[in-house]
Amino acid sequence: MSFTSVLGIGILLVVIVLIKKQSLIEMVGSKRLIGINLSEKQWFHNKWMSGLFLFVLNAILFSLAVGLIFASGLLEVPYLHILIMVAATFTSIYFWIVIRVSVKRAKKDQLIMGVMGSSFYMILFFVFLYMYITLDPSTPEHDTFMAAIGLMFGMIVAMVAWAACFFITAFSNKN
């Protein structure tokens, strides 16, 4: 199975998660220990602080996933990086749902929190886009084709993560 197939299947699964997000929210619920701890914190009730918390959480989860993927390259275990990517995706979705249901907010406040928190992936997209546009060979015989493909995949993943984070944290209805 090629990397493009894995990427396509991953995007399809994220779309299914976005379609079924309300049932996932009900399944996760607000009675999780992390959600209870967050809902008790006064700073988390502020839309700006909770948006900043979500931004930092996304940065930490992304950095941890990238670090584990690089570490898996040292182990030479086949397909371990794919398992890490799947685990990182589901972990992120779980945390986004927990953050979404932790505090009941007005729609405008929820939208502000979602925009702030998901902006990490939008920034990441623009970093990859800048790297793609300014991609030059380091030596005359250096081929940049594979680097360009990697950056395109990075942009796709960043956009899918942005959309998933934004739609889960900003637009889900809480019963």
Side-chain angles (χ1 to χ4, degrees):
M1 184 181 296
S2 69
F3 187 72
T4 345
S5 301
V6 171
L7 184 67
I9 291 169
I11 291 171
L12 182 66
L13 289 175
V14 169
V15 168
I16 291 170
V17 164
L18 289 176
I19 291 171
K20 299 300 240 170
K21 69 183 174 211
Q22 194 58 40
S23 58
L24 286 172
I25 286 173
E26 293 168 4
M27 187 170 47
V28 170
S30 60
K31 303 297 184 230
R32 299 287 185 232
L33 182 62
I34 298 170
I36 292 171
N37 287 340
L38 284 175
S39 65
E40 291 173 354
K41 305 294 183 193
Q42 189 60 35
W43 61 266
F44 192 71
H45 291 267
N46 182 331
K47 60 189 171 199
W48 301 105
M49 293 299 290
S50 58
L52 181 63
F53 175 77
L54 182 59
F55 183 93
V56 170
L57 179 69
N58 284 336
I60 290 171
L61 289 173
F62 177 79
S63 300
L64 184 64
V66 168
L68 287 174
I69 288 169
F70 278 120
S72 73
L74 300 174
L75 296 175
E76 297 182 14
V77 178
Y79 303 111
L80 181 61
H81 61 287
I82 294 175
L83 293 176
I84 292 170
M85 288 186 277
V86 169
T89 302
F90 286 121
T91 302
S92 296
I93 289 172
Y94 174 78
F95 279 120
W96 297 335
I97 290 174
V98 167
I99 287 173
R100 171 64 182 101
V101 299
S102 294
V103 176
K104 186 170 177 68
R105 292 184 177 85
K107 288 187 186 276
K108 180 182 175 189
D109 293 346
Q110 196 67 34
L111 183 66
I112 289 171
M113 184 195 74
V115 166
M116 265 190 80
S118 64
S119 65
F120 170 78
Y121 292 110
M122 187 59 69
I123 292 169
L124 190 64
F125 170 81
F126 285 118
V127 167
F128 287 147
L129 181 63
Y130 175 77
M131 290 171 65
Y132 180 79
I133 291 171
T134 61
L135 188 63
D136 286 330
S138 55
T139 61
E141 60 274 347
H142 183 231
D143 184 19
T144 58
F145 178 73
M146 291 307 290
I149 295 293
L151 289 171
M152 282 192 271
F153 280 138
M155 287 187 283
I156 292 169
V157 168
M159 284 308 294
V160 170
W162 171 81
C165 180
F166 180 70
F167 287 112
I168 287 174
T169 58
F171 289 123
S172 300
N173 295 327
K174 184 177 175 185
N175 294 336

